[in-house]
Amino acid sequence: MATFAKPENALKRAEELINVGQRQAALQALHDLITSKRYRAWQKPLERIMFKYVELCVELRRGRFAKDGLIQYRIICQQVNVSSLEEVIKHFLHLSTEKAEQARSQAQALEEALDVDDLEADNRPEDLMLSYVSGEKGKERSDRELVTPWFKFLWETYRTVLEILRNNSKLEALYAMTAHRAFQFCKQYKRTTEFRRLCEIIRNHLSNLNKYRDQRDRPDLSAPESLQLYLDTRFEQLKIATELELWQEAFRSVEDIHGLMCLVKKSPKPSMMVVYYAKLTEIFWISESHLYHAYSWFRLFTLQKSYNKNLTQKDLQLIASSVVLAALAVTPYDHMHGASHMELEKEKERNLRMASLIGFNLDPKRESREELSRSALLSELVSKGVMTCVSQDVKDLYNLLEHEFLPLDLASRVQPLLTKIAKLGGKVASASSLPEVQLSQYVPVMEKLACLRVLQQVSQVYQTMKIDVLSKMIPFFPFSVVEKLSVDAINYNFVCMKVDHLKGVVLFGKLDLDSDRVRDHLTVLAECLNKARSLIYPPAKKASKLSDTLPVLAETVDKEHKRLLARKSIIERRKEEQERQMLEMEREEESKRLKLQKITEEAEQKRLAFESSRREEQRIRREIEERELEEAQALLMQAERKNKKKGKKPIIEGDKVTKQAILDLALSEQVRERQEMEKKLQKSAKTMDYLERAKREEQAPLIDAAYQKRLVEEKVLHEHEQQQEIELSKQHYAGDLQEKNRLVRMLAAKVELQKSIESRRDAELNQLMNEKQEQVEQIKSAQEKERARRRKMIFYLNLEEERQKKLQEEEDARKREETERKKKEEAEHRAKMDEIAEKQRQREREIEERARKEREAQLGRFAEPLPRPSADLPPGVRAVEPVAAAAAAAPTAGSGSVPTTAKYVPRHMRDKNKGPGATPPEPDRWGSRHDDHPPPPSSDRSDRWRDDRSSSRPSFGSSGGSRSTWSSSRVPLRGDR
């Protein structure tokens, strides 16, 4: 990537490259300059560079380069000079359009050049053969080679410009102009596919504009100028869509216009609304939506009558006649008769949507079929006075079809009126935006309506009629068409008839009792009979019971009101539930439809991609074959031309020549020519060898003589030049001697001056050396002092670090000693406490042993010795020990009443309580232990005596349980003993 100090240098470099034919290199150099970050500030030379850049892009058809460059230039001049970007884009569009027109004119010129009278005179056989092989006409080939690439580039140019200008509020006019030019391009060259893509691009731009509202430089649709530009673009899109007969795209354009009007909540100008409703009439007529077509004509009539002051009476009559005929063209029966609930809901939603497009605001809760219907429209036409403006023929036709009852003469009276109406029409002079109005388009629909009216009226009068008679009554159509029309009318419950071809008759009025018409007749008959009965036998007047019903009337009304409210809530709930179920079903169906549509689209995209790749491969293969055929044809022509010059016959004769034969022939001709050329070269080389040898043999003696003569001449020349050199040296020597003699007298002064200069310079050198030596000594001394200071500092720092380290080690040792000492003291304290606890436990055991012995002594004094348990006790009964039995009998043996559990008695009062039957005092628990007492004999006895001791000690909440246990254990033992 080359860098330039100034943008002008890049422009000069590009022009130099263009002059030498390197346009691609020039484009790359300008592209690098524009996309570089060094030139982000706008300058005037950048505009000239962009002009040259877009010119190169157009010449080389580099759309991607042009888009990148324009995007970068938009970033550069967006906030500084937007008009410069506008000029560059206009220049870009002008160049692209001009190149496309030039290519088209060249293709037309080529087609005219090929369009000659005598093909055999100008076309050679090989050209005819090439045209047969390729299978492509001259115009198609010229269009593919010349026009199509430039049209593709022009289409890419429009897309690029629209993409760059889509969010720029300062260039809205340029955006609208580009869209209009793109529409005209699609219209001029019948590019329907590109038109659909263009509409989708503009639609996406508007949706993104509404979606991302926080963008900078975003166009404001609430501004009148911006809204007018967008509406003009959409109306131009609608016009081109109708001219190209893209009715689906035209309807989407109408929806876009309606969405814009709803978005800004502002109605456009009446002249634009006239175009809007005029295009709606065309769209609805093509889609056979005659009801909406009629309503569109009615709104168009209202606008023209209200706002067009130049409207003449003739034009008003023509428009009013169109409105009435459009209203009559609506089928007189309901197409949704007998439809399901889902279809009715879809039709209701569609009616609401169409009504909003036409300009009617319907209530979604009401039935839209009652508001938008044929009968409602006709009654509104009568009430608004439209019938007073129509022509007399249309008025007579309206009266015959809607109000007259003439089953036999209706068709014969309608036919001349339709003939007159078919001749009416023309251009509305006072409304240039309206298309040409032709009333003849309504004649086939009026004939169908007349046929239906005849069938309806005949079915009310006759029960049976011959087919021949009915066919004569309806001269518009043959009976097969009438039969098809009657099938639809019967299906939608408009007439009731049956055709019997076997008998050749038509049967009318064969209705069941459940039909509407018979039910109405029975109702009327019942009402008439009831009225006659009331006249013959008038009812007797009864006494008024108002006084009886007044007290309970308020309560009855209240109950009825509550019942109605409850019924209403139930109905609403059921409706909501039904709507919810319908919404769920619709959502499921929509999801299924979307999935199916997605699968279908994916399959279609794959198919299109495969077809595109296949067509591309076929095109490439065909181009390769054509190129090969052209090369072979050129070789064949060269060979024939050479043969003609040599007087030879043509190589190939006949009409049937294949491509492979031409290629084989060209290849064999090349091989033959190469062989002949090699033979000629060998022969000429041999001849050249002979000539060169003879020439050299003749040149040898001449060359020797010339060499000897040249030696003599050079020897004479050398001697002459040597003599001249000697004389010149002598002259130089004499001049040098004279110069020496002249300079000798100045030698002493020169030596003296040299010595003085040398002495002075020696003195200066010595002085400088001394000063330098002093400076060096000073620097050395300073460096020595600095080194000494650093060594001392390092020494002191090391000493301080060792001292701090030593103090830290001493502190750590002291802490460790303190910790060890504490641990040792704690261990000693713990051992001492363990020892004290062990002594305490030993003392308690001694006290318990002493108490046990005292109790044994007491028990031995007061109780008899218990017998040993007999050996014949049952094995489940354990023998009670004598001590336990004595302890159980002790309370009853003494003379005093001593409790079973001992009470705590202080030591100083124990002697007072001693007596023959007193309880021995409890020994001191904390007294000194006697080590001479023997340990308890066994663990079983120690457990029993421990239980006995616990029963004699004071208890805190658990003594009662111990006493109950002892008592329960003593009772059976006493009984056993």
Side-chain angles (χ1 to χ4, degrees):
M1 175 180 174
T3 57
F4 302 97
K6 295 181 180 179
E8 295 88 343
N9 299 339
L11 185 59
K12 292 178 182 178
R13 178 61 177 166
E15 291 176 351
E16 292 173 357
L17 292 171
I18 292 170
N19 292 332
V20 297
Q22 298 183 5
R23 296 181 179 275
Q24 183 63 38
L27 178 62
Q28 187 64 43
L30 293 180
H31 182 267
D32 294 341
L33 175 75
I34 294 168
T35 57
S36 175
K37 294 183 179 179
R38 294 181 59 185
Y39 307 104
R40 289 307 175 100
W42 185 84
Q43 305 175 29
K44 186 63 177 176
L46 287 177
E47 185 174 354
R48 291 189 280 112
I49 289 172
M50 283 301 299
F51 281 131
K52 180 62 70 175
Y53 180 78
V54 296
E55 289 175 3
L56 289 173
C57 290
V58 172
E59 290 178 2
L60 299 175
R61 293 204 297 266
R62 296 290 188 270
R64 179 62 62 184
F65 275 79
K67 184 175 182 180
D68 294 342
L70 289 174
I71 289 173
Q72 293 297 327
Y73 193 65
R74 181 188 64 180
I75 295 171
I76 292 172
C77 62
Q78 176 69 36
Q79 305 297 331
V80 181
N81 190 2
V82 186
S83 60
S84 176
L85 177 62
E86 183 177 1
E87 294 298 327
V88 171
I89 290 177
K90 286 182 179 179
H91 185 61
F92 182 41
L93 290 173
H94 173 70
L95 291 176
S96 302
T97 309
E98 185 178 0
K99 287 290 184 181
E101 291 295 332
Q102 289 178 2
R104 186 166 177 269
S105 60
Q106 289 177 6
Q108 289 179 355
L110 184 61
E111 182 184 355
E112 292 174 358
L114 291 173
D115 189 10
V116 294
D117 296 333
D118 190 4
L119 291 176
E120 295 182 358
D122 293 333
N123 282 350
R124 294 169 296 179
E126 54 269 16
D127 294 334
L128 290 174
M129 179 181 61
L130 182 62
S131 64
Y132 291 148
V133 172
S134 62
E136 191 174 25
K137 296 182 179 179
K139 184 178 183 303
E140 295 177 356
R141 182 180 300 172
S142 61
D143 289 346
R144 181 172 58 83
E145 294 177 354
L146 297 176
V147 181
T148 304
W150 283 110
F151 277 9
K152 286 182 179 179
F153 181 75
L154 182 58
W155 167 246
E156 189 176 356
T157 300
Y158 287 134
R159 289 191 61 176
T160 300
V161 174
L162 290 174
E163 185 68 24
I164 290 172
L165 300 177
R166 62 189 177 92
N167 288 332
N168 200 323
S169 59
K170 300 177 182 178
L171 297 176
E172 290 177 341
L174 183 58
Y175 179 84
M177 184 199 74
T178 306
H180 284 233
R181 292 180 65 174
F183 289 143
Q184 292 300 324
F185 164 77
C186 297
K187 173 188 173 183
Q188 183 178 359
Y189 301 111
K190 307 296 182 183
R191 309 303 301 177
T192 56
T193 305
E194 284 75 11
F195 180 77
R196 291 191 186 94
R197 292 174 183 170
L198 180 62
C199 296
E200 192 64 31
I201 288 170
I202 296 176
R203 196 172 293 114
N204 290 336
H205 288 177
L206 182 61
S207 63
N208 292 333
L209 193 66
N210 296 326
K211 186 177 181 181
Y212 306 105
R213 297 179 178 272
D214 55 348
Q215 292 181 348
R216 189 176 63 178
D217 301 327
R218 172 184 171 273
D220 187 12
L221 293 179
S222 60
E225 297 83 3
S226 301
L227 178 61
Q228 188 63 36
L229 288 173
Y230 274 87
L231 284 175
D232 291 342
T233 304
R234 295 307 188 279
F235 275 102
E236 184 69 19
Q237 174 182 334
L238 177 59
K239 291 178 182 178
I240 302 300
T242 53
E243 290 177 3
L244 293 176
E245 295 183 356
L246 299 174
W247 304 110
Q248 186 69 27
E249 200 61 44
F251 184 74
R252 296 185 69 183
S253 303
V254 169
E255 287 185 330
D256 294 341
I257 296 171
H258 182 262
L260 271 175
M261 292 189 293
C262 295
L263 184 65
V264 298
K265 295 180 177 61
K266 185 177 180 181
S267 179
K269 298 177 182 178
S271 59
M272 301 181 73
M273 294 305 297
V274 167
V275 177
Y276 176 78
Y277 286 116
K279 298 302 178 184
L280 269 180
T281 56
E282 296 182 26
I283 294 169
F284 287 136
W285 180 256
I286 294 297
S287 64
E288 297 183 358
S289 299
H290 295 159
L291 179 62
Y292 306 127
H293 170 76
Y295 271 102
S296 301
W297 263 116
F298 179 59
R299 295 307 298 265
L300 189 60
F301 171 78
T302 306
L303 281 173
Q304 289 290 337
K305 189 175 180 181
S306 301
Y307 295 100
N308 194 353
K309 298 179 180 179
N310 301 324
L311 191 65
T312 61
Q313 184 64 29
K314 182 179 179 182
D315 295 339
L316 182 62
Q317 185 179 3
L318 184 60
I319 297 173
S321 301
S322 299
V323 174
V324 174
L325 289 176
L328 290 174
V330 183
T331 53
Y333 47 80
D334 188 7
H335 285 278
M336 299 307 295
H337 178 77
S340 62
H341 179 71
M342 185 178 296
E343 292 177 352
L344 291 175
E345 289 296 325
K346 288 182 179 179
E347 183 66 20
K348 181 179 179 181
E349 184 180 354
R350 180 171 177 268
N351 289 338
L352 291 174
R353 182 182 173 190
M354 295 301 171
S356 64
L357 289 179
I358 300 171
F360 288 90
N361 295 323
L362 300 181
D363 188 4
K365 293 184 178 180
R366 294 183 62 184
E367 187 66 32
S368 59
R369 289 185 294 171
E370 298 176 0
E371 298 184 6
L372 291 182
S373 62
R374 184 176 185 273
S375 59
L377 178 59
L378 290 174
S379 61
E380 192 170 0
L381 293 180
V382 173
S383 62
K384 293 293 179 66
V386 180
M387 291 298 178
T388 60
C389 302
V390 301
S391 62
Q392 187 61 37
D393 297 332
V394 176
K395 189 181 297 184
D396 293 342
L397 179 65
Y398 170 74
N399 291 326
L400 283 173
L401 293 177
E402 297 298 324
H403 300 293
E404 298 291 340
F405 188 81
L406 302 168
L408 299 178
D409 301 334
L410 181 63
S412 60
R413 294 190 181 187
V414 167
Q415 190 172 10
L417 294 177
L418 293 180
T419 306
K420 294 179 182 179
I421 290 172
K423 298 178 182 179
L424 299 177
K427 182 68 178 176
V428 181
S430 58
S432 59
S433 57
L434 281 178
E436 186 176 358
V437 179
Q438 294 293 338
L439 301 184
S440 59
Q441 64 179 349
Y442 297 106
V443 171
V445 186
M446 294 298 105
E447 291 176 350
K448 291 181 181 179
L449 178 61
C451 177
L452 290 174
R453 289 299 184 193
V454 168
L455 292 176
Q456 183 185 23
Q457 295 179 9
V458 167
S459 65
Q460 295 177 4
V461 176
Y462 296 95
Q463 291 183 353
T464 306
M465 179 177 286
K466 291 185 179 181
I467 295 176
D468 298 336
V469 176
L470 185 61
S471 300
K472 292 178 182 179
M473 291 173 60
I474 305 174
F476 310 120
F477 309 110
F479 186 74
S480 59
V481 179
V482 174
E483 192 173 3
K484 289 181 181 179
L485 293 175
S486 63
V487 168
D488 290 338
I490 293 169
N491 189 23
Y492 296 114
N493 202 22
F494 184 69
V495 295
C496 183
M497 56 181 289
K498 186 168 62 174
V499 180
D500 191 351
H501 288 280
L502 186 63
K503 298 179 181 180
V505 296
V506 180
L507 303 177
F508 297 102
K510 295 297 181 178
L511 301 174
D512 298 330
L513 290 176
D514 293 335
S515 65
D516 297 336
R517 189 176 304 277
V518 174
R519 186 164 59 248
D520 294 340
H521 284 306
L522 292 178
T523 304
V524 172
L525 178 62
E527 290 177 355
C528 293
L529 291 175
N530 193 14
K531 188 182 296 184
R533 179 179 174 280
S534 62
L535 290 175
I536 297 172
Y537 302 104
K541 295 183 180 181
K542 297 180 180 179
S544 177
K545 296 183 179 180
L546 185 62
S547 58
D548 298 336
T549 57
L550 280 178
V552 296
L553 184 61
E555 184 179 357
T556 305
V557 169
D558 191 14
K559 288 181 180 179
E560 187 67 19
H561 180 64
K562 289 181 180 179
R563 188 182 65 79
L564 291 176
L565 288 178
R567 184 173 179 273
K568 182 179 179 182
S569 63
I570 292 171
I571 293 172
E572 291 293 333
R573 195 180 306 112
R574 289 178 181 175
K575 284 185 178 179
E576 291 176 357
E577 183 66 23
Q578 189 176 7
E579 289 177 358
R580 186 182 63 79
Q581 292 177 358
M582 292 300 298
L583 287 175
E584 290 180 357
M585 291 173 62
E586 290 178 359
R587 196 178 296 113
E588 291 177 358
E589 291 180 356
E590 184 68 18
S591 62
K592 291 179 182 178
R593 188 185 64 80
L594 290 176
K595 289 180 180 178
L596 184 61
Q597 182 179 0
K598 185 177 180 181
I599 293 170
T600 308
E601 289 177 355
E602 290 178 354
E604 184 67 18
Q605 289 177 359
K606 290 180 181 179
R607 188 187 66 80
L608 291 176
F610 176 72
E611 290 291 333
S612 177
S613 62
R614 186 176 60 80
R615 287 195 298 269
E616 186 68 19
E617 290 176 359
Q618 290 179 357
R619 184 185 63 80
I620 294 171
R621 192 180 299 110
R622 189 167 57 250
E623 290 179 355
I624 292 172
E625 291 175 356
E626 290 175 359
R627 195 178 302 113
E628 291 177 354
L629 191 58
E630 289 174 358
E631 293 175 358
Q633 189 70 25
L635 293 174
L636 182 61
M637 291 170 61
Q638 291 178 4
E640 289 182 353
R641 197 178 298 116
K642 291 179 182 179
N643 293 333
K644 286 180 181 179
K645 289 181 180 179
K646 294 178 181 180
K648 296 182 180 180
K649 295 181 179 180
I651 300 173
I652 295 179
E653 295 180 357
D655 297 332
K656 295 183 180 180
V657 181
T658 61
K659 173 187 169 183
Q660 189 64 31
I662 294 174
L663 292 176
D664 295 340
L665 182 60
L667 183 60
S668 62
E669 187 66 23
Q670 287 181 356
V671 171
R672 188 181 59 79
E673 289 179 356
R674 192 180 300 111
Q675 291 175 357
E676 291 179 358
M677 186 60 68
E678 288 177 358
K679 290 178 181 180
K680 289 180 181 180
L681 287 176
Q682 290 176 2
K683 187 176 180 180
S684 61
K686 192 173 183 180
T687 306
M688 289 293 293
D689 290 341
Y690 289 151
L691 291 175
E692 187 67 24
R693 187 181 300 109
K695 186 173 63 173
R696 289 187 182 183
E697 287 176 357
E698 293 294 331
Q699 285 178 354
L702 297 176
I703 291 172
D704 292 338
Y707 177 67
Q708 294 300 328
K709 185 180 178 181
R710 182 69 180 273
L711 286 177
V712 174
E713 290 176 357
E714 287 183 355
K715 183 177 181 182
V716 173
L717 182 61
H718 174 66
E719 291 176 355
H720 179 66
E721 289 179 354
Q722 190 174 8
Q723 189 64 30
Q724 287 181 357
E725 185 69 27
I726 291 170
E727 291 177 358
L728 187 61
S729 298
K730 286 181 180 180
Q731 290 177 5
H732 287 171
Y733 179 70
D736 290 341
L737 286 178
Q738 290 178 4
E739 185 69 20
K740 180 181 180 183
N741 293 331
R742 190 178 67 82
L743 294 176
V744 164
R745 61 187 181 84
M746 293 184 288
L747 183 61
K750 175 253 180 185
V751 172
E752 186 176 356
L753 178 61
Q754 182 180 357
K755 289 182 179 178
S756 63
I757 290 172
E758 287 178 356
S759 62
R760 187 176 69 252
R761 289 185 178 178
D762 289 339
E764 291 176 358
L765 179 61
N766 293 331
Q767 184 179 358
L768 289 173
M769 289 180 66
N770 292 332
E771 291 177 357
K772 189 67 176 178
Q773 187 66 27
E774 290 178 358
Q775 290 179 2
V776 170
E777 292 295 334
Q778 291 177 2
I779 291 170
K780 284 183 179 180
S781 62
Q783 288 178 354
E784 287 293 336
K785 290 179 181 178
E786 182 66 23
R787 281 197 294 273
R789 187 183 64 78
R790 287 182 180 176
R791 283 197 299 272
K792 289 181 182 179
M793 181 63 68
I794 291 169
F795 177 73
Y796 290 144
L797 289 175
N798 291 335
L799 286 179
E800 182 65 22
E801 186 177 356
E802 290 178 359
R803 189 178 66 80
Q804 291 292 337
K805 188 175 181 181
K806 188 174 181 181
L807 289 175
Q808 184 67 29
E809 289 177 355
E810 291 177 355
E811 181 68 21
D812 293 341
R814 186 182 62 77
K815 288 181 179 179
R816 283 196 300 272
E817 291 177 357
E818 184 69 24
T819 304
E820 290 176 358
R821 185 179 60 78
K822 286 182 178 180
K823 289 181 179 180
K824 188 175 180 181
E825 289 179 356
E826 289 178 359
E828 292 177 356
H829 179 69
R830 195 178 297 109
K832 189 179 293 182
M833 293 302 294
D834 292 341
E835 185 179 356
I836 292 171
E838 182 63 30
K839 290 180 179 180
Q840 182 68 25
R841 287 193 292 273
Q842 184 67 24
R843 188 178 298 112
E844 288 178 356
R845 285 198 294 270
E846 292 177 356
I847 291 171
E848 290 175 358
E849 184 65 24
R850 190 180 302 115
R852 182 181 61 79
K853 290 182 179 181
E854 290 178 358
R855 288 192 188 92
E856 287 179 355
Q858 289 180 359
L859 289 173
R861 276 199 312 269
F862 296 106
E864 295 179 357
L866 295 173
R868 295 183 64 86
S870 60
D872 53 351
L873 285 174
V877 180
R878 190 179 62 179
V880 182
E881 294 184 1
V883 179
T892 59
S895 59
S897 63
V898 181
T900 58
T901 58
K903 186 179 180 182
Y904 175 73
V905 179
R907 182 176 292 179
H908 66 278
M909 296 181 65
R910 289 175 185 173
D911 297 335
K912 297 179 181 180
N913 295 331
K914 285 182 179 180
T919 306
E922 184 180 358
D924 189 7
R925 292 183 61 188
W926 306 102
S928 60
R929 295 178 180 269
H930 299 280
D931 298 334
D932 52 351
H933 293 283
S938 66
S939 59
D940 191 12
R941 292 188 63 187
S942 64
D943 292 337
R944 286 199 300 269
W945 286 111
R946 191 176 292 113
D947 293 337
D948 185 22
R949 178 180 174 274
S950 62
S951 62
S952 62
R953 292 172 62 184
S955 62
F956 300 95
S958 61
S959 59
S962 301
R963 287 195 299 269
S964 63
T965 303
W966 275 102
S967 61
S968 62
S969 62
R970 283 195 298 269
V971 170
L973 291 176
R974 287 177 182 174
D976 294 338
R977 191 176 60 217

